[in-house]
Amino acid sequence: MNKGYSKPFPILSELISTTYKYKILPQFYNFITNRVYYISLEFYMGRTLQNTMVNLALENACDEATYQLGLDMEELQEMEEDAGLGNGGLGRLAACFLDSMASLGLAAYGYGIRYEFGIFNQKIVNGWQVEEADDWLRFGNPWEKARPEYMRPVKFYGRTEHHPDGVKWVDTQVVLALPYDTPIPGYRNNIVNTMRLWSAKAPCDFNLKDFNVGGYIQAVLDRNLAENISRVLYPNDNFFEGKELRLKQEYFVVSATLQDIIRRFKVSKFGSREVVRTDFNKLPDKVAIQLNDTHPAMAIPELMRVLVDEEELDWDKAWDICVRTCAYTNHTVLPEALERWPIDLFAHLLPRHLEIIYEINRRHLENVAARFPGDHERLCRMSLVEEGGQKRVNMAHLCIVGSHAVNGVAQIHSDILTATIFKDFYEMDPHKFQNKTNGITPRRWLVMCNPGLAEVIAERIGEDFIRDLDQLKGLLKYVNDEAFIRDIAKVKQENKLKFAAHLEEHYKVKINPNSMFDIQVKRIHEYKRQLLNCLHMITYYNRIKKEPNKQWTPRTVMIGGKAAPGYHTAKMIIRMITAIGEVINNDPVVGDRLKVIFLENYRVTLAEKAIPAADLSQQISTAGTEASGTGNMKFMLNGALTIGTMDGANVEMAEEAGDGNLFIFGMRVDDVTALDKKGYHAVDYYNRLPELKQAMDQISTGFFSPKQPDLFKEIVDMLMHHDRFKVFADYEDYIKCQEQVNELYKNPKEWTKKVIYNIAGSGKFSSDRTISQYAREIWGVEPTLEKIPAPDDI
């Protein structure tokens, strides 16, 4: 594949030359009816250097330059810290979306928080997870540029005063938001967008106005309290922790971002700082705000506060503008993940916003009552304020009412939303609800992390698939091509050897590169069912022990992922995985036919190494719990076969690749619902399935923890008596499905044919397709693959 142009690509600084800025760019942006603002509390970017070189077609030039300096490009890349400003899928999705928005020529901005400490680094010590702070900025960040000229004040606390001429929010505490800009280059189209992350700074007079003799030092020290807002990423995935600091973070990013959006809207003339636009009626035509989950939900009451209190619009006009500007993406149906903020906290921290939410709710409930007269229960269900016990604001309800579009992230997830948790809202406003199946950027997740596979594909169908991933369908004509089958298998084997060498170097683990690389990497959570994987490992181990002379398919099972520091069960699951590994890996009867490895500190950079090497991808959540998943798509694109339930995007992956080309098992959503009605009794499966009983007995009697026989008592108790995610109900089908995996792996040619069907079917799962749908169906902008002239082409 061509990694560089014949003439050098213009460096980023050249993109702001005067002629270019004032003559070329305005013409280009005339095609665009509005700007897109993607607000997210997480952007899980990983490393930037190699991705930038790929997108700017500079890989060959940089390789050559470093070589002539006596340096090694790979060594240089390994020195870069991951920007780990996200927990998992939601944050990584935002990063993929930034890449696609730039590559599709959208005038789009990512807005978030510049956390001083990102997702913690995970160490495994004596089998347990130990967290270390991720001081990713300790050597500086060469990709960012501070923009103090755009610093914005953000207000907290205080009280409201109601006057005849409007409401005033007074006696507030001010924190300054300092923006840092990171360039987001599109794929070889001469477009560079911006990710703007806000950092909290205390104002110069912070706490000094009330210091007395001797209070000066304390007042200066107290500046930390304000600056703590952007100190650390909350490490919870799919779990709501109702802490004041978290609500502060959510309002901080929203307030600073909306000030920036409105400043830019008012200025409007390209390259000018003069206020020329004061009519807010055009705001929804010029501005689209996408809320990535409910975390930035405060954008809705904040936009209302700005329009009503500061710009003095009447409520109805302001509300119409607000709804037409905002759109909301839902990422989960798990009740423990839904944000429900206590009213008392709101009243203390954001008193004016609470008043606005009450008014939004009053008018909303009037509309509901008019549509469904006499249905009091529906009013309670649909209220933005939950009564009973501690009163809370339901942020998902706020987002639905305050947005013109609400989307789920896979078809099955969007269907579940309208049929269950948002059913009442769907009946009220069916036109609001859409589906936007997630995607991944093929630049990072194929061209960059798996150049060998990208090369083999390009030799058959050309390079345009990188911009238009649907072209991978063109590989279908090579399914029976012996040379292509050989090439695909060869690339996979090379990737496995490379990853095996990496594991040996960094983890001192020696693995059999001819074994099946069976990988489950994702956050550790009960609903993702790493425990089901554990039960298969134990069952397979027991079978090998029972018949050691049989021809077993060799496997290396790798599980990786972080557990939220406060999630005790998830930490115990990690300890169980490491304990099973200690026994299996040291059993001479088993040898290298089965190995179990916990991949420490799973992150974007480790994913880029592991995914191209995988043979089998495990996507085994209980049907109806994983909104979409995106790791599943990365494995599919990189030539792994999937064993999975009919959950999230797995359903659409099976549609695209063909049902027979994935290993699908287990209950469907309807089966789970039926089992809930009937009652799930784990003990029935335990008594009926001898191999399950044997595995559970081994866990509970200390076979895998001889020094602490009752180490996993809580996990056993959970699985036997209160397992919300019904691990045992899918065990039997899962084990049978794994037998089919073993059989097919013995026939490399047939295995590789299924791999080709999967790669050819993965075009739908490009984030370019996802973003094109958001652009056309929600934001009202038209994506383009047009390349604008580079500065030196003018």
Side-chain angles (χ1 to χ4, degrees):
M1 282 176 68
N2 176 24
K3 289 187 177 180
Y5 296 125
S6 55
K7 69 175 184 174
F9 191 95
I11 60 171
L12 292 182
S13 60
E14 287 178 358
L15 291 175
I16 52 171
S17 67
T18 309
T19 315
Y20 193 65
K21 188 171 179 183
Y22 293 111
K23 291 189 179 165
I24 302 296
L25 286 182
Q27 288 171 28
F28 174 73
Y29 281 120
N30 282 342
F31 292 119
I32 295 162
T33 55
N34 68 10
R35 287 184 166 113
V36 174
Y37 295 97
Y38 194 86
I39 311 181
S40 178
L41 268 283
E42 300 184 21
F43 286 96
Y44 202 172
M45 302 297 285
R47 289 174 177 165
T48 295
L49 176 59
Q50 194 183 354
N51 185 245
T52 301
M53 292 191 301
V54 165
N55 280 12
L56 300 185
L58 280 171
E59 273 191 294
N60 285 346
C62 291
D63 279 349
E64 180 61 29
T66 50
Y67 176 74
Q68 289 187 8
L69 290 167
L71 302 171
D72 179 74
M73 180 51 81
E74 272 197 39
E75 271 182 40
L76 191 64
Q77 287 165 3
E78 287 300 315
M79 290 172 72
E80 184 178 358
E81 294 279 350
D82 271 43
L85 307 185
N87 276 286
L90 177 144
R92 185 53 235 171
L93 183 80
C96 284
F97 279 4
L98 292 182
D99 181 85
S100 285
M101 289 188 288
S103 297
L104 290 168
L106 302 183
Y109 301 76
Y111 273 93
I113 295 177
R114 181 182 177 266
Y115 299 108
E116 197 177 317
F117 296 92
I119 187 64
F120 61 86
N121 286 315
Q122 178 194 57
K123 291 272 189 287
I124 301 298
V125 180
N126 299 322
W128 296 94
Q129 169 177 296
V130 175
E131 300 89 26
E132 283 184 357
D134 168 41
D135 193 5
W136 73 290
L137 291 169
R138 68 189 177 283
F139 299 124
N141 174 10
W143 302 107
E144 70 182 9
K145 172 83 175 74
R147 304 300 301 273
E149 67 272 30
Y150 293 118
M151 190 129 63
R152 295 282 166 255
V154 176
K155 297 192 282 190
F156 295 100
Y157 306 110
R159 57 190 175 81
T160 59
E161 289 179 351
H162 292 252
H163 302 281
D165 60 338
V167 181
K168 299 277 184 290
W169 182 17
V170 298
D171 297 338
T172 55
Q173 188 181 103
V174 173
V175 176
L176 299 176
L178 171 64
Y180 286 78
D181 287 358
T182 299
I184 307 292
Y187 182 71
R188 303 185 184 185
N189 62 357
N190 295 334
I191 287 167
V192 182
N193 283 346
T194 300
M195 174 177 69
R196 177 162 285 183
L197 302 181
W198 300 101
S199 183
K201 292 285 288 176
C204 293
D205 62 354
F206 186 78
N207 274 8
L208 286 176
K209 50 189 168 296
D210 28 56
F211 86 86
N212 46 38
V213 179
Y216 166 71
I217 295 294
Q218 193 56 48
V220 173
L221 297 182
D222 284 349
R223 292 168 60 86
N224 276 326
L225 300 175
E227 294 172 3
N228 278 340
I229 290 173
S230 58
R231 193 80 68 205
V232 62
L233 168 75
Y234 271 84
N236 303 313
D237 188 73
N238 277 297
F239 183 78
F240 170 59
E241 187 174 359
K243 295 280 197 292
E244 180 176 338
L245 180 61
R246 173 66 174 188
L247 184 56
K248 270 188 175 175
Q249 288 180 340
E250 294 183 354
Y251 179 66
F252 173 76
V253 67
V254 152
S255 170
T257 299
L258 277 171
Q259 290 178 67
D260 224 25
I261 291 171
I262 287 164
R263 171 191 60 77
R264 208 175 274 123
F265 170 77
K266 284 181 172 179
V267 166
S268 86
K269 257 164 102 179
F270 204 91
S272 161
R273 291 197 179 183
E274 188 187 332
V275 172
V276 296
R277 205 192 265 134
T278 51
D279 178 8
F280 280 88
N281 288 315
K282 290 233 170 65
L283 187 77
D285 302 325
K286 298 292 179 186
V287 169
I289 296 174
Q290 191 67 38
L291 308 176
N292 193 26
D293 214 320
T294 56
H295 312 146
M298 289 304 298
I300 292 164
E302 173 66 1
L303 182 54
M304 286 300 290
R305 187 191 68 79
V306 170
L307 293 176
V308 173
D309 294 358
E310 294 181 4
E311 302 296 338
E312 299 180 348
L313 273 67
D314 73 74
W315 182 280
D316 290 331
K317 173 50 67 183
W319 183 245
D320 176 65
I321 290 167
C322 179
V323 171
R324 290 196 294 125
T325 301
C326 296
Y328 158 56
T329 301
N330 173 274
H331 283 273
T332 184
V333 296
L334 295 180
E336 64 268 33
L338 297 175
E339 292 195 297
R340 296 154 59 251
W341 288 104
I343 290 287
D344 296 346
L345 178 55
F346 247 107
H348 176 56
L349 189 68
L350 299 165
R352 178 59 182 141
H353 297 79
L354 182 58
E355 292 177 352
I356 290 168
I357 288 168
Y358 278 146
E359 181 61 15
I360 293 170
N361 197 38
R362 185 185 69 76
R363 290 165 181 252
H364 160 61
L365 291 180
E366 275 182 8
N367 292 337
V368 175
R371 280 284 303 279
F372 303 97
D375 193 342
H376 180 70
E377 282 188 2
R378 184 184 291 263
L379 284 176
C380 291
R381 291 196 306 268
M382 292 183 73
S383 176
L384 309 191
V385 180
E386 297 176 355
E387 307 285 345
Q390 189 181 31
K391 286 170 76 171
R392 293 172 174 269
V393 179
N394 185 311
M395 302 306 272
H397 291 184
L398 174 63
C399 284
I400 296 167
V401 172
S403 298
H404 69 278
V406 177
N407 72 280
V409 289
Q411 191 60 59
I412 187 175
H413 170 231
S414 298
D415 292 343
I416 288 168
L417 291 180
T418 55
T420 59
I421 62 168
F422 299 154
K423 182 170 187 278
D424 295 320
F425 292 91
Y426 177 65
E427 288 170 356
M428 180 97 175
D429 288 306
H431 62 277
K432 277 191 182 186
F433 289 82
Q434 304 186 19
N435 174 58
K436 297 284 170 281
T437 299
N438 283 163
I440 56 171
T441 170
R443 271 74 63 181
R444 183 177 292 266
W445 296 111
L446 178 57
V447 178
M448 191 188 108
C449 74
N450 202 343
L453 180 57
E455 182 77 52
V456 165
I457 293 168
E459 282 169 6
R460 271 40 179 220
I461 62 170
E463 287 187 30
D464 285 352
F465 73 92
I466 300 166
R467 276 191 194 81
D468 176 15
L469 208 62
D470 276 329
Q471 290 186 25
L472 290 178
K473 287 192 175 81
L475 295 176
L476 287 172
K477 61 175 174 283
Y478 298 102
V479 165
N480 295 304
D481 181 308
E482 298 285 343
F484 188 58
I485 291 169
R486 264 199 316 277
D487 286 350
I488 292 287
K490 182 168 177 278
V491 166
K492 179 61 70 180
Q493 195 55 35
E494 285 167 356
N495 290 336
K496 289 173 72 172
L497 286 164
K498 194 173 177 185
F499 190 53
H502 173 82
L503 290 179
E504 197 169 343
E505 184 187 344
H506 290 89
Y507 300 96
K508 309 293 177 256
V509 180
K510 201 163 174 56
I511 56 175
N512 173 11
N514 297 313
S515 64
M516 182 199 306
F517 283 16
D518 165 355
I519 306 186
Q520 185 182 22
V521 281
K522 50 187 77 247
R523 286 297 288 256
I524 310 295
H525 200 298
E526 287 158 88
Y527 88 84
K528 293 177 186 284
R529 297 202 298 189
Q530 284 90 356
L531 287 171
L532 183 58
N533 194 348
C534 287
L535 289 174
H536 170 253
M537 295 186 310
I538 296 170
T539 302
Y540 198 49
Y541 169 72
N542 288 336
R543 288 181 177 184
I544 294 170
K545 291 281 281 184
K546 192 176 175 186
E547 298 181 80
N549 299 320
K550 198 174 157 186
Q551 283 296 100
W552 298 100
T553 304
R555 281 201 192 215
T556 302
V557 182
M558 304 179 217
I559 302 178
K562 293 173 182 175
Y567 188 177
H568 175 70
T569 303
K571 288 185 147 183
M572 288 307 302
I573 290 169
I574 290 175
R575 184 64 190 96
M576 181 181 284
I577 296 161
T578 58
I580 292 167
E582 283 160 22
V583 171
I584 292 176
N585 298 346
N586 293 300
D587 192 323
V589 175
V590 173
D592 65 1
R593 291 179 290 187
L594 180 61
K595 291 284 182 221
V596 175
I597 294 168
F598 187 84
L599 296 173
E600 183 180 83
N601 203 30
Y602 180 66
R603 60 201 185 283
V604 174
T605 294
L606 189 53
E608 289 162 4
K609 294 175 169 71
I611 291 170
D615 291 307
L616 187 69
S617 157
Q618 298 231 26
Q619 309 296 335
I620 58 178
S621 52
T622 312
T625 63
E626 187 73 87
S628 167
T630 45
N632 47 2
M633 302 167 187
K634 293 164 194 170
F635 282 104
M636 182 188 195
L637 181 59
N638 281 277
L641 297 186
T642 301
I643 183 167
T645 50
M646 276 299 202
D647 196 23
N650 296 356
V651 178
E652 290 160 74
M653 285 163 53
E655 282 169 16
E656 295 296 306
D659 270 3
N661 296 313
L662 279 76
F663 298 100
I664 298 293
F665 72 93
M667 296 179 288
R668 306 320 197 236
V669 169
D670 290 347
D671 301 321
V672 175
T673 307
L675 188 54
D676 276 329
K677 278 200 180 124
K678 178 182 147 215
Y680 168 67
H681 303 293
V683 71
D684 295 347
Y685 301 92
Y686 171 84
N687 289 328
R688 183 168 62 78
L689 302 168
E691 287 186 304
L692 174 60
K693 183 178 190 302
Q694 182 187 4
M696 288 303 297
D697 289 351
Q698 285 171 308
I699 294 166
S700 60
T701 57
F703 181 84
F704 296 105
S705 54
K707 290 178 183 165
Q708 282 180 272
D710 61 350
L711 180 60
F712 302 116
K713 184 176 181 298
E714 292 164 303
I715 285 187
V716 171
D717 186 54
M718 181 272 289
L719 287 172
M720 294 296 292
H721 304 296
H722 43 93
D723 175 12
R724 291 167 58 202
F725 302 105
K726 306 174 180 62
V727 168
F728 291 2
D730 277 342
Y731 169 83
E732 188 175 19
D733 202 17
Y734 178 56
I735 298 297
K736 283 181 184 155
C737 201
Q738 289 280 22
E739 289 166 10
Q740 294 168 28
V741 173
N742 285 335
E743 279 311 301
L744 187 67
Y745 194 74
K746 289 176 183 171
N747 186 338
K749 189 172 166 185
E750 290 306 310
W751 179 279
T752 307
K753 281 185 183 181
K754 284 193 190 291
V755 165
I756 294 166
Y757 277 115
N758 273 269
I759 296 170
S762 58
K764 175 179 180 178
F765 305 107
S766 169
S767 48
D768 296 347
R769 185 268 317 151
T770 313
I771 287 298
S772 295
Q773 290 181 332
Y774 275 98
R776 293 186 176 117
E777 297 163 27
I778 297 179
W779 303 331
V781 297
E782 189 57 33
T784 177
L785 289 174
E786 189 179 334
K787 178 178 170 181
I788 64 171
D792 54 353
D793 290 340
I794 296 166

